[in-house]
Amino acid sequence: MSKRDPTLMSGVPELVLLRLLAQREMYGYDIARALKLLSHEALSLGEGVLYPALHALEARGLLRSRSRQVEGRMRIYYQATPKGRRRLERLAANWRRMSEGVERILGAHHD
Amino acid sequence: MSKRDPTLMSGVPELVLLRLLAQREMYGYDIARALKLLSHEALSLGEGVLYPALHALEARGLLRSRSRQVEGRMRIYYQATPKGRRRLERLAANWRRMSEGVERILGAHHD
DNA sequence: CAACTATACCTCGCATACCGAGGTATGAAA
DNA sequence: TTTCATACCTCGGTATGCGAGGTATAGTTG
């Protein structure tokens, strides 16, 4: 069925993947490293999340990939499609909205 | 097995429930309303999330409840236990950490 | 040359979280 | 008497995240 919106809970992996791959072409291993680095270790996608997520996003037309041989090793480079970018905008807006909501609740003292 | 930590994705419902109920005693319907209000509609826990979550948290000793009859209607009031408050601290710290991580990735231009 | 480490990909199956839809019952208002 | 707001509840589906495990190559080190 047609993929309902990520509701409350995050879909953070989808979000950050699209964000990275909207910026530039990257391959799996690369993404994992970048994610740890950029988020100061706060985020880390294990391979059991990463690869299935990449495949799913590609199948949905949000990413496209090309394989390249680099120094004997095979790499699959992904980047966001236009559709993926549009999706990213939606997800990012959503995420900010909900994260601000959480922040308000964490911050307030509700007497 | 013993309940692994909420990993990447949020466990936002658990977090916000504990936060509200660390502050004051509330009952289900009340919580739903407060949540919408405080978060400016950004968060809304449907009853299919809310009640099971409350039961689960109570079963884990993070909340305790008492029933009261108010104007003919039965209400079950919940509040956070000390253990629940400690859990809240952990979850809140976790959430900030990961939300900052996401923010960094959303914000940066990764050239 | 054997081991080991880093790179690079992959899948399977478990657990659990979240959600919508549906169900019950009361009191007040129309 | 019907409807609305209050107030609770459960069931079943789905997807999602995750760990563990598996393959293979290139380079390093003893």
Side-chain angles (χ1 to χ4, degrees), chain A residues 29 43 47 52 56 71 79 84-85 93 104:
Chain A
Y29 219 70
L43 267 32
E47 308 196 342
E71 288 154 15
Q79 63 184 309
R85 288 164 204 278
R104 264 193 292 274

Side-chain angles (χ1 to χ4, degrees), chain B:
Chain B
M1 302 297 96
S2 69
K3 193 79 183 163
R4 60 168 182 233
D5 255 25
T7 72
L8 223 198
M9 74 99 185
S10 4
V12 169
E14 183 178 352
L15 173 61
V16 296
L17 286 180
L18 284 174
R19 174 61 176 126
L20 289 180
L21 297 172
Q23 214 65 32
R24 63 183 178 88
E25 220 184 20
M26 297 174 84
Y27 59 96
Y29 218 71
D30 202 16
I31 293 170
R33 263 189 273 115
L35 223 41
K36 271 192 193 160
L37 208 77
L38 286 169
S39 74
H40 301 197
E41 312 290 306
L43 266 33
S44 91
L45 293 196
E47 308 196 342
V49 179
L50 185 56
Y51 290 110
L54 289 173
H55 301 333
L57 290 174
E58 185 176 21
R60 287 163 59 202
L62 305 174
L63 299 180
R64 62 195 176 77
S65 69
R66 61 196 181 97
S67 302
R68 288 170 60 194
Q69 200 81 9
V70 179
E71 288 154 15
R73 286 191 206 85
M74 215 255 294
R75 291 179 181 170
I76 304 177
Y77 285 84
Y78 292 89
Q79 62 183 310
T81 61
K83 192 177 167 193
R85 287 164 204 279
R86 287 194 298 275
R87 175 94 182 144
L88 170 59
E89 292 313 310
R90 276 184 48 90
L91 287 181
N94 245 264
W95 194 83
R96 286 214 181 80
R97 196 173 142 67
M98 100 96 174
S99 115
E100 278 160 24
V102 172
E103 225 57 75
R104 263 193 291 274
I105 288 176
L106 289 188
H109 48 114
H110 320 291
D111 324 83

Side-chain angles (χ1 to χ4, degrees), chain A residues 5 7-8 16 18 21 47 57 67 70 76 79 98 100 102 109:
Chain A
D5 255 25
T7 71
L8 226 198
V16 296
L18 284 173
L21 298 173
E47 308 196 342
L57 290 173
S67 302
V70 179
I76 304 177
Q79 63 184 309
M98 99 96 173
E100 278 161 22
V102 172
H109 47 115

Side-chain angles (χ1 to χ4, degrees), chain A residues 27 29 67-77:
Chain A
Y27 60 96
Y29 219 70
S67 302
R68 287 170 60 194
Q69 200 81 10
V70 179
E71 288 154 15
R73 286 191 206 85
M74 216 256 293
R75 291 179 182 170
I76 304 177
Y77 285 85

Side-chain angles (χ1 to χ4, degrees), chain A residues 78-98:
Chain A
Y78 292 89
Q79 63 184 309
T81 62
K83 191 177 167 193
R85 288 164 204 278
R86 286 195 298 275
R87 176 93 181 144
L88 169 60
E89 292 314 310
R90 276 185 49 90
L91 287 181
N94 245 264
W95 194 83
R96 286 213 182 82
R97 195 173 143 68
M98 99 96 173

Side-chain angles (χ1 to χ4, degrees), chain A residues 30-51:
Chain A
D30 201 17
I31 294 171
R33 263 189 273 115
L35 224 41
K36 271 192 193 159
L37 209 77
L38 287 168
S39 74
H40 301 194
E41 311 292 306
L43 267 32
S44 91
L45 295 195
E47 308 196 342
V49 179
L50 185 56
Y51 291 109

